[in-house]
Amino acid sequence: MTTSRRRTAVSRLVQLLAAMALLAGPTACAGSDDRHVTVMVPWTGQDEFGAFHSVVEDFQHDTGITVDVQVTRALTQQLDAAVKADAPPDLAVLPSPAAIARSVDDLEPLDEGTVDTGAYLEPFRGLAQIDGATYAVPVKIDVKSLVWYDTETTDTPRTRSTDALHAFARKGGLGWCLGLASGPTSGWPGADWIADIVLADAGTRVYARWAAGRLPWTSSAIVRAWTRWRDLVGAADLKKASEAGFTEATQAMAAAKPGCRLAHGARSALAADVRKEPRFDFVAPAAHAPLEVSGDFIGMFTDDNPAARTFVHYLSGAHAQQTWVDAAGSAAFSARADGIVYRNAVQRRIAALLRPASGHPLCFGAADMMSPDTAAAFYRAVLDYADEGGDAGKLMERLQKVQTSFGEDQVPQGDICSGSG
């Protein structure tokens, strides 16, 4: 590692540790100083945090406003505790439309002077709105429906269809780099993949009904997606994945002797060594195929701090979004409809998939649309299925009982998918 790179790595680590240290102290009194803003974020990885912090540094330099970043891997729990204690941060990242809907009574609406809602792509724009009011702004988005491979050692798969990928992987003896462990949200990589299979095989209407809780887990399309996932990965590899870290699992693709050759998911979920190597590419989705997407939103939890509105306005603007995309190690994509330039060829191709001209309907991740309890049960079921196997139909019966027992609305207002399927 060169001296320059070493300084950069150390600098980012210091920034990360300094931000995390804020968690040990009392939360700043929100709204007490119009030159100070607090924001709670879940980005604990060096690259993720470093990319966001580069935007923070620019903002502080340009405005003279101080930003205290509170970093936590348990954002939902800590945010809930802070709100209940009447000491919320000014701003917080909300990782899904369901989180926005769940927090709507505590969120402050964002007016057009703060957020230019017309600048954002669907479905991200509409899913941040409730009863016509905007309660959050998408600051970072991604595409989950991608299959990654090494162009130097693996022939290019011809299509992303489940059947074609199954045949391709089996014929070449290629293993999947899959890890399901992710702390309190372990299981989500499998939930994303199962949702992607439902979307690809059953289409947007079935997918949207299922995510909304209007199609039971026991329906044939859902049960079939679980069994197809197990068949695609293989029972033995699926069992190993239940305890493997989701990012670390993809690191094996970059090893001198790769232990696996294929990976499924967003670019941000790949190991840094895989993201940074140009030889790793993704399978181009079939024309007009629906794509599963995700997004992180910023919401405001205080109403008496103009600095908070200034920071939201800045974060959602083209300049800050470009800075975020350009930051070293960043895997972010912008929800802005235009004005963002992607320097990397792979990034440009992914960004193009998000534009209406691509012809791909974009559907928000199903688990991200479900109530927290239902999503947690979904993740738990993924781990159980990976570790124990068993009858997918019976597992879906249990999931349906869990969902019914919660009796909660699952989908926020707004269409889960953009375009038509």
Side-chain angles (χ1 to χ4, degrees), residues 51 169 348:
R348 284 196 296 272

Side-chain angles (χ1 to χ4, degrees), residues 30 83 86 88-92 94 100 103-112 114-115 128-130 133-137 298-306 308-309 312:
V83 169
D86 198 26
D90 294 308
L91 306 169
L94 298 167
I100 298 171
S103 299
V104 67
D105 290 340
D106 301 307
L107 286 166
E108 295 298 323
L110 304 172
D111 56 34
E112 287 294 330
T114 303
V115 177
Q129 298 175 330
I130 297 175
T134 299
Y135 285 92
V137 57
I298 286 281
M300 188 163 61
F301 287 82
T302 60
D303 63 357
D304 57 351
N305 188 354
R309 290 188 183 275
V312 171

Side-chain angles (χ1 to χ4, degrees), residues 400-412:
Q400 184 59 43
K401 289 180 180 178
V402 169
Q403 179 176 296
T404 302
S405 69
F406 292 140
E408 298 175 305
D409 292 335
Q410 286 186 256
V411 178

